[in-house]
């Protein structure tokens, strides 16, 4: 299995300014500049060369003009003919980043939880998250010897270095995400085993909705505080907001009036739903201000005092917070009221007064969990049940939502069927999958009030889909605007499949231009298993024998023999055995480094779309390794007889689009 090789910088203080992801990217850009500036032979690169070269590549952002870069270099380095090595290049990069920051005076970069431009951490947040971890993982058989963690130390980051705590925390946030049999939990783990845990952690974090920016396994291995804390913050946030949606808490329909409002509520993020819920309860208590954020609007503690009095008046005590003028004292009384309700303390009186957004959000989310104050309105809940999705539709919506969010597009989506109706997110996704294919001049950016503007966006989406040779029979842009679930899922499946096939195509030798088809993936998988000496086989991505999980375990073992612990594998004959194997397969695939978003039920039911994506993800991971025989195995599968003898029941280039074929007679 491939290990991790970090880019090493001799100056520790300089090294600590970057993550390994950033260092690898910057090293690649530095080598590119040196090659182009040195006549193609990797010759000397001078400070004078950097202004033009970094401007062309937009290194350190495009917030500085070429002239501004030149002035900065002149100020910082009197000798412009001085030769530039990688470490000097990094120092120039940092100076330019600092100048851009000073010029913009913006804190927008703080919005991403795991960005690394500001390497400071909040001690209050660290203390709160440590308390959360101690509470939820204190009795874990493996971790209890390390817990409780002292929030006054950096033990959290040390304990996180083997990846076990982070994996366990993900399972607390989204139970069952990781099959804990796949976590390496020996007392002393070697670097390979730690790297496997970190890889499993990061791919599982993506699979529950975390946004990972500039963070890699090496960063977790080094226990970089700002990155580890950013990841932990997202995981805990996902746990606390898990019930803030109509599916988990149908009583939320009390917040709205009619079916149109239900659609609007479904499109809101959990944070916005929480704000709407909070204002709904505050209105009951006669509170006149509208709360629009979890920072400045709650600093004075008045909203909290009213909210808790509405939800739990029986726990009110004199002096009442509303009668106290001193803000810290008022905040203290608010937290004492919450304590009597049984709410965990995610913040201190000082955090309330200072308006800590993350901790205030955690506090309100926990209040919602303990007592939401909503009553069951059966008429509206019945309406929800009548419009609920069947399990497979829900699973596919989840998989496509997580996949879109993993692409790194600017817009984060919470509900596929609602958030895609403007067409904008689909255009962003298309541009990511096929760069340059979107005509942005013709696109309408949200918020979009006029319906025809949404239709224009969606018409362009359909037009691009046809360019990419998607099967779009009787589909128009208005179908997406109207939220036609069947057609939206069908389009997204073809987009995901196109992305997978393009990734695989780009890994192949460029001597052949033949497009990769589903049957090539099928042949590759069967050949890998056969060549490993095992005897399982799949006839198609609909092969019912796949439900046992044995074939995928054989395939995973074939591409990396040490990754499967066969003592944990069942025969896959009974339903419970099949489920155990399916859960293990997904975690082992993520442990390798495969980005997969399916659930065990998809394997048990042999969802052909998810079977294809799982196989293709394993194939992509295998082929991208710098090992000649993996690529050769694929080439032999093309030129040999295996392609010709594949069962005719295998998926061909259009067989996976059955969900579209069904819509042809609309």
């Amino acid at each position: 299995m491939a290990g991790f090789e970090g880019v090493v910088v001799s100056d520790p203080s300089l090294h600590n300014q970057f993550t390994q992801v950033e260092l690898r990217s910057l090293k690649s850009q530095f080598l590119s500049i040196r090659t182009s500036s040195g006549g193609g032979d990797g010759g000397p690169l001078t400070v004078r060369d950097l202004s033009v070269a970094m401007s062309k590549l937009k290194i350190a952002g495009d917030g500085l003009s070429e002239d501004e870069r030149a002035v900065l270099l002149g100020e910082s380095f009197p000798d412009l003919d001085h030769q530039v090595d990688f470490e000097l290049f990094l120092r120039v990069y940092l100076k330019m980043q600092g100048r851009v920051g000073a010029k913009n005076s913006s804190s927008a970069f703080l919005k991403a939880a795991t960005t690394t431009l500001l390497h400071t951490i909040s001690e209050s947040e660290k203390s709160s998250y440590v308390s959360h971890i101690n509470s939820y993982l204190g009795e874990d058989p493996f971790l209890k010897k390390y817990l409780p963690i002292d929030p006054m130390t950096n033990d959290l980051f040390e304990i996180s270095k083997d990846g076990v705590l982070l994996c366990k925390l993900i399972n607390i946030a989204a139970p069952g995400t990781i099959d804990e049999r796949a976590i390496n939990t020996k007392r002393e783990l070697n670097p390979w085993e730690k790297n496997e845990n970190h890889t499993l952690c990061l791919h599982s974090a993506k699979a529950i909705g975390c946004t990972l920016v500039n963070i890699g396994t090496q960063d977790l291995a080094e226990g970089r505080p700002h990155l580890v804390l950013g990841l932990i913050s997202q995981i805990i946030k996902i746990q606390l907001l898990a019930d803030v949606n109509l599916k988990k808490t149908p009583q939320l329909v009390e917040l709205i009036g009619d079916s149109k409002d239900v659609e609007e509520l479904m499109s809101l993020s959990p944070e916005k739903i929480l704000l709407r819920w909070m204002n709904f309860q505050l209105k009951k208590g006669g509170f006149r201000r509208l709360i629009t954020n979890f920072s400045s609007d709650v600093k004075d503690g008045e909203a909290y005092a009213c909210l808790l009095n509405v939800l739990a008046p029986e726990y009110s005590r004199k002096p009442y917070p509303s009668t106290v003028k001193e803000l810290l004292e008022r905040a203290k009384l608010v937290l004492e009221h919450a304590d009597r309700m049984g709410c965990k303390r995610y913040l201190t009186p000082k955090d309330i007064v200072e308006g800590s957004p993350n901790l205030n959000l955690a506090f309100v989310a926990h209040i919602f969990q303990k007592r939401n104050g909503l009553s069951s309105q059966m008429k509206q809940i019945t309406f929800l049940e009548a419009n609920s999705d069947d399990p497979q539709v829900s699973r596919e919506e989840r998989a496509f939502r997580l996949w879109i969010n993993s692409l790194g597009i600017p817009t984060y989506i919470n509900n596929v069927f609602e958030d895609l109706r403007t067409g904008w997110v689909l255009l962003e996704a298309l541009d990511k999958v096929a760069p340059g294919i979107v005509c942005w001049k013709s696109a309408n950016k949200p918020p979009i009030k006029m319906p025809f503007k949404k239709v224009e966006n969606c018409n362009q989406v359909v037009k691009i889909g046809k360019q990419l040779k998607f099967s779009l029979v009787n589909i128009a842009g208005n179908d997406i605007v109207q939220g036609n679930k069947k057609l939206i899922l069908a389009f997204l499946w073809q987009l995901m499949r196109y992305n997978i096939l393009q990734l695989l195509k780009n890994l192949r030798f460029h001597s052949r231009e033949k497009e990769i088809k589903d049957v090539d993936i099928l042949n590759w998988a069967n050949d890998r298993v056969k060549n490993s000496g095992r005897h399982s086989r799949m006839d198609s991505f609909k092969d019912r024998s796949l439900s046992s999980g044995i074939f995928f375990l054989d395939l995973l073992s074939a591409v990396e023999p040490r990754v499967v612990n066969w003592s944990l594998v069942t025969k896959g004959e009974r339903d419970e055995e099949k489920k155990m194997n399916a859960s293990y397969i997904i975690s082992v695939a993520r442990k390798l480094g495969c980005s997969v978003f399916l659930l065990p039920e998809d394997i048990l039911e042999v969802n052909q779309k998810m079977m294809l994506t799982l196989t293709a993800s394993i194939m992509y991971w295998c082929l991208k390794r710098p090992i000649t025989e993996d690529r050769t195995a694929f080439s032999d599968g093309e030129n040999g007889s295996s392609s010709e003898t594949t069962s005719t029941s295998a998926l061909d280039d259009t067989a996976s689009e059955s969900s579209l074929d069904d819509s042809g007679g609309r």
Side-chain angles (χ1 to χ4, degrees), residues 83-100:
Q83 286 191 19
V84 178
D85 60 12
F86 181 53
E87 293 195 9
L88 181 57
F89 174 78
L90 293 178
R91 297 183 194 281
V92 172
Y93 174 84
L94 287 175
K95 284 184 177 294
M96 289 189 176
Q97 286 282 26
R99 183 63 61 89
V100 170

Side-chain angles (χ1 to χ4, degrees), residues 262-277:
V262 170
E263 292 178 356
E264 180 191 351
L265 194 65
M266 290 176 68
S267 69
L268 295 179
S269 67
E271 295 95 323
K272 290 184 178 179
I273 294 177
L274 204 59
L275 280 171
R276 182 173 288 199
W277 166 80

Side-chain angles (χ1 to χ4, degrees), residues 427 437-439 442-443 455-465:
L427 290 173
I437 202 166
V438 175
C439 177
S442 304
V455 174
E456 286 178 354
N457 281 353
C458 293
N459 281 341
Q460 185 179 176
V461 167
V462 173
K463 181 180 177 182
I464 293 172

